[in-house]
Amino acid sequence: MKRVWCVICLSLLLPSLIHAQTGAIEAMTHPSKEEAPPGTVNEEKKKNRLDLWTSYESLTDGYGNWKNLNLLYTRLGRDFTCFFQLGGFERPEKNAILFAAGAYKDWHERLYTYSAVSSGTDSDYLPSFRIDHDFNIKLGPKQSTLWTLGATFIDYYGNQKSYILSSGLTQYIERFIFGYRLFRNTNDPGSVHSFSHSLSATYGQEGFHWTNIVYSFGKQAYLATNLLTPQEINQNSQNITLGHRQWLGKDYGIFGDLSYFKLQDGYNKYGFAFGIFKEF
């Protein structure tokens, strides 16, 4: 059942595959009113950013090693920011390419949305089509609390589909950002339901550095249709990622992360990523 495990585990790792670096974009374009006062960072904001990174993941139980190379272009605007991503994946079963595009749009000083679409070439682990959409509402007199409502649809190659509803809160406290998000996952065929959770903590400031840790955990539930008699599978999984982004100059720097993923009765995965970025 290796193929099914590789497909379904993507639901818990919801943000990471399609737009691994958009958390940095969001912090840059939608800071809290509690951000540092003017003059503490370079106020000449660049309108473009290029991120280039590679990752390597080692899996146990005969799943082999996964390699990845990504290029992300971001165009920053006053109330509209868009990005385009191209990713290449090398895995033992098959190599593949992923295309993604998305945008942040400000509708009001207290409301902005995030939307993204993506599609991968024919493979067991990339979506044929995926769409994400979030509503983000800023709360409180300092707009330091963010309430997010999101929905995702994923159509995989083969007969697997995922429908994900989510909601969460993000709290800005000076240079700290704390977040929690709950995901309700429905996988077809079988309309099998499960829940997963994501906790995050971030420290830093745009133009200097960002350091963050993300812990995700939950159930991987689906109907294994590749068996002679279809069987519902329900497994615990967890993932932890520690990342850092460092400016080496006013408009360039490096970033990377270390990660660990565990799937009950499945496999363990150890990974690292390293990249560079340039603003202009």
Side-chain angles (χ1 to χ4, degrees), residues 28 39 58 80 90 100 105 120 155 234 239 280:
M28 175 169 51
S58 178
F80 180 82
E90 180 182 325
K105 169 62 179 175
D155 184 7
N234 197 319
N239 182 78
F280 55 96

Side-chain angles (χ1 to χ4, degrees), residues 144-219:
S144 58
T145 301
L146 187 69
W147 177 32
T148 300
L149 293 169
T152 296
F153 168 71
I154 310 174
D155 184 7
Y156 300 101
Y157 289 96
N159 64 346
Q160 296 284 341
K161 291 180 172 61
S162 293
Y163 307 85
I164 304 171
L165 297 176
S166 63
S167 182
L169 291 173
T170 302
Q171 182 65 49
Y172 293 79
I173 304 175
E174 296 181 346
R175 295 189 181 183
F176 288 92
I177 306 173
F178 300 99
Y180 168 76
R181 194 156 178 177
L182 171 67
F183 302 90
R184 182 182 186 274
N185 313 299
T186 302
N187 289 308
D188 280 334
S191 295
V192 182
H193 303 292
S194 62
F195 288 89
S196 56
H197 312 261
S198 178
L199 295 164
S200 65
T202 302
Y203 175 79
Q205 188 175 357
E206 189 69 15
F208 290 106
H209 64 82
W210 290 107
T211 301
N212 73 296
I213 185 169
V214 181
Y215 176 61
S216 302
F217 63 97
K219 291 285 187 178

Side-chain angles (χ1 to χ4, degrees), residues 5-58:
W5 278 332
C6 290
V7 169
I8 300 301
C9 73
L10 300 180
S11 298
L12 181 63
L13 303 176
L14 175 64
S16 62
L17 177 63
I18 292 187
H19 41 91
Q21 300 304 319
T22 55
I25 301 174
E26 189 158 8
M28 175 169 51
T29 57
H30 296 93
S32 160
K33 289 293 182 73
E34 292 187 352
E35 64 182 338
T40 60
V41 297
N42 176 28
E43 296 181 11
E44 183 187 350
K45 291 187 177 181
K46 306 297 183 180
K47 294 185 178 298
N48 304 279
R49 174 183 282 181
L50 278 176
D51 292 73
L52 176 66
W53 73 97
T54 185
S55 66
Y56 178 86
E57 297 166 300
S58 178

Side-chain angles (χ1 to χ4, degrees), residues 92-127:
E93 59 270 35
K94 190 176 185 179
N95 297 339
I97 298 174
L98 179 74
F99 305 91
Y104 293 87
K105 169 62 179 175
D106 291 337
W107 301 96
H108 185 269
E109 67 172 3
R110 290 185 176 270
L111 171 66
Y112 71 92
T113 55
Y114 163 78
S115 304
V117 295
S118 64
S119 178
T121 55
D122 191 353
S123 65
D124 290 339
Y125 54 89
L126 290 182

Side-chain angles (χ1 to χ4, degrees), residues 59-70:
L59 287 74
T60 61
D61 298 286
Y63 283 86
N65 300 318
W66 296 352
K67 301 173 185 177
N68 184 316
L69 181 65
N70 282 279

